Amino acid sequence: MAEETPPDDLPAEVRSWIGRVVVVEPDSVPVEMGICRLFAAAVEDGNPLYWDEQTANSIAGSPIAPSALISAWNRPDPWRPDGAPPARALELHFRLKEKLGLPKAVVTRAETELHAPVRPGDRLSAEQRLDRVGPRTRNRLGEGRYWTISVLYRRAGGELCGIEELEFYGYGAVQP
Amino acid sequence: MTRTIRIGETLPERRVNISALHIVLGAIASRDWQPQHHDHEQATAARLPGIILNAPSQIGWFIGYVTAWTGPHARIARWRLSMLKPICPGTRLVMTGTVRSVKDDPAGLRWIELDLAMSREDANAAQERLSATRMLVAMPGTVEPWAVTAEAWRPPPFTDYES
């Protein structure tokens, strides 16, 4: 695919982010089977890769975490003992909204590609990369821009476990 | 062992009555603390009909639906989720799926691409689509999907991205 030229009217800082990993969440909560089974129970998924260690060992080398949880492990806790406000999930998205002056945003496309399976004991890092910011446009939500962020999830040692590609439409600029 | 799967084949329908417990448990287990997934008052204040099933839970339901059909040797490779309308407690959901493509690759995997949907079913059996997903799954061909190394694991793009 041909490389797209960023729009001329973007703030310089935002232009400098395009194509780069801007935010890295270096660590996550540890992956553990109690939470994996709770999630599998929530969606009534009886896959033995979550529930039957012997079968999981013979098929996949160990139990694995449900793939739908790939983005969950890095989400911040809702409370911190030091009283500090919780960190923001997908920090790059919030920074973009602030820099572009577009306070509202909706997800318009979400695609996930999986690589190495996530296993109990893993801790994942999350690299937030800005892939694209589009020109000013208008749709039923009003004037705004589309942007695309990819989040690359890696286990310790750098092995890629998955890439989540999220396209947003930001809008709601305060009119002068 | 290679299983025969054909383009156009449909998956057996699955029905589930979605409860508040399904929604709250799925959100908390996926570390999603946003109030629209556990607080009815805040959800309705945000003009939603009630608390709503979050994205990881919707994918979790779709994956469980697919792997109940394929068996545990299948390995999920890719999905694209389209959340069309809120899924709230009290919804009678019907899950459906159709095989969109079947391709064998040189590495020995069989790639199955599926179109999946969750629809609300009313008392008259009329259905309204609430969520849809395209999903790519690796099935055993001449090799086991879970035995494929990171270097050899190359999920192809969805067929609608092919030029």
Side-chain angles (χ1 to χ4, degrees):
Chain A
M1 194 163 63
E3 199 165 310
E4 189 181 7
T5 306
D8 291 333
D9 61 347
L10 287 182
E13 188 174 14
V14 172
R15 285 176 70 92
S16 76
W17 290 348
I18 294 173
R20 289 203 299 119
V21 171
V22 181
V23 177
V24 178
E25 299 287 349
D27 197 13
S28 72
V29 295
V31 176
E32 54 94 15
M33 287 316 290
I35 289 293
C36 293
R37 288 181 184 155
L38 191 66
F39 181 78
V43 297
E44 299 182 6
D45 184 348
N47 192 327
L49 297 183
Y50 319 137
W51 296 98
D52 179 341
E53 191 168 346
Q54 197 173 351
T55 303
N57 288 343
S58 70
I59 293 175
S62 78
I64 62 159
S67 304
L69 292 181
I70 182 79
S71 64
W73 306 107
N74 290 86
R75 291 204 185 109
D77 290 326
W79 177 87
R80 288 164 47 149
D82 60 5
R88 299 189 292 193
L90 204 56
E91 171 67 25
L92 174 57
H93 173 61
F94 287 97
R95 288 190 198 172
L96 261 178
K97 284 168 53 172
E98 289 160 6
K99 294 289 179 190
L100 296 173
L102 299 170
K104 298 178 181 174
V106 293
V107 177
T108 51
R109 186 172 59 81
E111 186 166 326
T112 299
E113 179 180 293
L114 297 175
H115 288 268
V118 176
R119 301 179 189 274
D122 280 340
R123 301 179 80 112
L124 302 185
S125 65
E127 301 168 0
Q128 300 172 21
R129 184 182 72 199
L130 181 60
D131 293 336
R132 174 183 184 270
V133 181
R136 285 189 177 279
T137 185
R138 175 172 282 279
N139 67 18
R140 64 186 169 81
L141 294 171
E143 189 176 298
R145 294 180 193 270
Y146 289 92
W147 60 80
T148 306
I149 293 172
S150 288
V151 186
L152 291 78
Y153 298 97
R154 300 181 189 277
R155 64 159 56 97
E159 189 176 19
L160 185 65
C161 294
I163 305 172
E164 189 179 30
E165 188 178 284
L166 301 162
E167 183 190 71
F168 296 90
Y169 184 70
Y171 62 102
V174 177
Q175 300 302 321
Chain B
M1 192 171 65
T2 303
R3 168 177 168 177
T4 303
I5 295 176
R6 294 187 174 81
I7 295 172
E9 182 175 343
T10 55
L11 280 63
E13 292 183 354
R14 180 178 181 193
R15 285 174 169 75
V16 60
N17 293 314
I18 292 292
S19 67
L21 181 62
H22 285 128
I23 292 171
V24 174
L25 200 56
I28 298 306
S30 58
R31 301 180 56 79
D32 185 346
W33 329 117
Q34 295 183 85
Q36 64 266 34
H37 306 307
H38 63 260
D39 185 325
H40 178 80
E41 280 188 13
Q42 289 208 43
T44 52
R47 299 185 181 176
L48 293 165
I51 58 170
I52 58 172
L53 197 65
N54 74 347
S57 297
Q58 293 193 23
I59 288 297
W61 280 104
F62 277 125
I63 288 175
Y65 174 55
V66 168
T67 54
W69 175 68
T70 59
H73 291 265
R75 182 171 162 185
I76 307 296
R78 185 187 299 285
W79 65 73
R80 185 172 63 219
L81 173 67
S82 303
M83 295 189 288
L84 307 173
K85 293 188 175 176
I87 300 176
C88 298
T91 304
R92 180 163 173 78
L93 271 189
V94 185
M95 285 173 250
T96 54
T98 306
V99 176
R100 181 185 170 93
S101 74
V102 180
K103 283 184 183 170
D104 291 329
D105 80 4
L109 290 173
R110 175 157 292 176
W111 296 100
I112 310 294
E113 190 175 332
L114 297 159
D115 283 321
L116 306 164
M118 288 184 193
S119 302
R120 180 205 328 273
E121 186 174 62
D122 68 16
N124 300 315
Q127 293 186 5
E128 177 188 25
R129 183 166 291 205
L130 306 180
S131 181
T133 294
R134 177 74 51 80
M135 192 169 285
L136 181 71
V137 185
M139 296 282 288
T142 56
V143 298
E144 275 286 325
W146 294 106
V148 174
T149 61
E151 296 72 31
W153 177 254
R154 295 206 175 87
F158 285 129
T159 50
D160 57 357
Y161 289 161
E162 290 175 348
S163 53

